[in-house]
Amino acid sequence: MRFVIAPDSFKGSSSAKEVAQAIAEGLREALPDAECDLVPMADGGEGTVEALVAATGGEIVKVRVTGPLGEPVDAFFGLLGDRHTAVIEMAAAAGLHLVPPEKRNPMVTTTYGVGELIKAALDAGCRKLIIGIGGSATNDGGAGMAQALGARLLDASGNEIGFGGGALAKLARIDVSGLDLRVREAEIWVACDVTNPLTGPQGASAVYGPQKGATTEMVQLLDANLRHYAALLRRDLGVDVEQMQGAGAAGGLGAGLMAFCQAKLRRGVELVIEAVRLEERVRDAEFVITGEGKLDFQTGYGKVPHGVAQVAKRFGKPVIAIVGQLGEGAEKCREWGIDACFSILTKPMSELEAMTNALSLLRRIAEELGWLLKTLRRL
């Protein structure tokens, strides 16, 4: 039997690569000759770099960049197996996890390090970039990213403005004459699953500002600053991104990437499916196995098992999901193209116990699945 094993990570427990390996090990206990093609997956968020590097035989490149508070941090990007595609998680350089709770303040946090990661990927010879923009600590509209790439954001006196969403109030002119030309020559895709515009009640500041440390007063200031920023992007660059879907993602980084880098936004799982060549790998499989930590109604909104199942169904392949737990709405899995789903929980246990023992539980359920398929084949 030939299996394609394409799971997401089990968040807080096991990486997508570890999950795929555990499933393969379990299957081979019952089916020693099984051919298992391991395709670790992600949806553009945390773990995307690791999953794509593992699936394509690439490597992790470590880079020291400017963190969200302006201090150096150790970050990374993924160089994929084709040697010309880079995968970047903006959170590696400007993530909320890099800022202690007591220091969270989107008035001052910057995306400068994200621009440095983009530059490092271009320096490595990459001309296709996939950028995941979840988990940000910032609300600067991608201004810091643009500065790192050579754009000049100037105040009324002709001086560079400072870092953070608060500094945008002083912005008087945007000069892109020094912008790294390679940015416009590259193919840049942004993995983005939110549709928020840059400003307004559903914009970056109002919806995501509070979780980054913004007070009610800060939210109003940040939103006004992003409106001002958007007006200057229209005037000086001739681009209107303010109300575009996804412009408000990652504190407006979506808008900045579209305006300065001519980036295009797509659903994260679609970009990953293309990067790992899932279609051609599924074509010759007998079974497709996917999974995630919790399968529930949110899975149907474009998470990994949904995306994998949609590909498999184009080729008429049966899809089985092995997941940490089954939540509300999991019974709709057949509508998404998943033929059967199994939880790794073999007895009543706490969430902590399940997460601690996830890999051994995965192996056990996968082995049982292997015995079932072996038995059915004999009938």
Side-chain angles (χ1 to χ4, degrees):
M1 294 186 189
R2 186 171 189 276
F3 298 87
V4 165
I5 304 174
D8 198 354
S9 64
F10 280 30
K11 298 293 187 292
S13 171
S14 309
S15 70
K17 181 179 179 181
E18 290 171 332
V19 171
Q21 288 174 334
I23 292 172
E25 290 167 5
L27 286 171
R28 288 186 179 121
E29 288 294 323
L31 303 164
D33 297 327
E35 295 181 26
C36 297
D37 183 8
L38 276 54
V39 192
M41 292 290 295
D43 59 10
E46 180 186 358
T48 298
V49 168
E50 183 181 11
L52 288 180
V53 165
T56 64
E59 62 178 290
I60 301 288
V61 180
K62 296 183 179 179
V63 188
R64 194 158 178 80
V65 301
T66 303
L69 294 176
E71 301 170 347
V73 298
D74 292 319
F76 58 89
F77 69 89
L79 180 60
L80 300 195
D82 64 9
R83 313 305 292 180
H84 69 259
T85 302
V87 183
I88 294 170
E89 293 175 20
M90 76 83 61
L96 193 60
H97 69 284
L98 296 173
V99 184
E102 68 276 8
K103 292 186 178 181
R104 290 176 181 173
N105 181 356
M107 297 287 284
V108 301
T109 47
T110 179
T111 53
Y112 196 92
V114 180
E116 291 176 314
L117 279 180
I118 293 172
K119 191 173 185 299
L122 294 171
D123 289 344
C126 298
R127 292 299 178 264
K128 180 178 180 180
L129 278 62
I130 298 170
I131 305 175
I133 58 173
S136 77
T138 55
N139 206 99
D140 71 350
M145 176 272 301
Q147 289 172 311
L149 291 170
R152 300 181 70 208
L153 277 60
L154 307 172
D155 63 19
S157 300
N159 299 314
E160 285 275 357
I161 64 170
F163 287 159
L168 293 175
K170 298 180 180 179
L171 183 62
R173 185 166 64 91
I174 301 173
D175 177 5
V176 294
S177 61
L179 186 70
D180 193 324
L181 293 177
R182 298 174 300 175
V183 170
R184 297 295 177 91
E185 297 166 355
E187 177 186 350
I188 300 179
W189 291 95
V190 179
C192 177
D193 292 337
V194 304
T195 58
N196 305 76
L198 184 62
T199 63
Q202 296 302 313
S205 307
V207 176
Y208 302 110
Q211 71 192 43
K212 302 172 186 181
T215 63
T216 301
E217 182 182 2
M218 282 183 194
V219 167
Q220 294 174 350
L221 289 171
L222 289 165
D223 190 57
N225 289 354
L226 287 178
R227 283 200 302 273
H228 172 63
Y229 175 61
L232 292 185
L233 288 173
R234 283 193 293 270
R235 188 194 71 187
D236 296 347
L237 274 65
V239 294
D240 188 356
V241 295
E242 187 171 2
Q243 295 303 315
M244 283 188 176
Q245 288 194 352
L253 180 61
L257 285 164
M258 287 189 285
F260 291 97
C261 303
Q262 299 179 343
K264 297 178 177 64
L265 275 58
R266 287 182 63 188
R267 296 187 72 88
V269 71
E270 293 175 0
L271 288 169
V272 174
I273 284 169
E274 285 186 9
V276 302
R277 300 178 292 104
L278 186 64
E279 282 200 4
E280 62 182 83
R281 298 168 85 160
V282 161
R283 189 177 289 117
D284 298 324
E286 263 187 276
F287 297 94
V288 175
I289 300 179
T290 186
E292 63 180 337
K294 184 177 183 179
L295 189 144
D296 60 13
F297 67 94
Q298 296 183 73
T299 302
Y301 295 143
K303 289 195 172 183
V304 165
H306 179 270
V308 170
Q310 294 298 300
V311 172
K313 287 307 165 186
R314 290 203 284 272
F315 298 97
K317 307 298 182 179
V319 180
I320 301 164
I322 301 178
V323 303
Q325 58 179 306
L326 298 168
E328 181 184 353
E331 68 278 359
K332 295 183 178 180
C333 67
R334 253 71 64 182
E335 298 174 16
W336 309 328
I338 299 171
D339 298 292
C341 50
F342 301 92
S343 168
I344 63 172
L345 303 180
T346 55
K347 63 178 182 178
M349 66 180 72
S350 68
E351 185 173 342
L352 177 61
E353 183 181 359
M355 291 174 70
T356 302
N357 298 290
L359 295 179
S360 61
L361 292 168
L362 276 162
R363 282 189 286 268
R364 179 173 176 182
I365 292 298
E367 181 181 353
E368 291 302 317
L369 173 62
W371 285 114
L372 173 62
L373 295 176
K374 189 173 187 175
T375 300
L376 291 173
R377 173 153 287 188
R378 288 201 300 262
L379 294 179

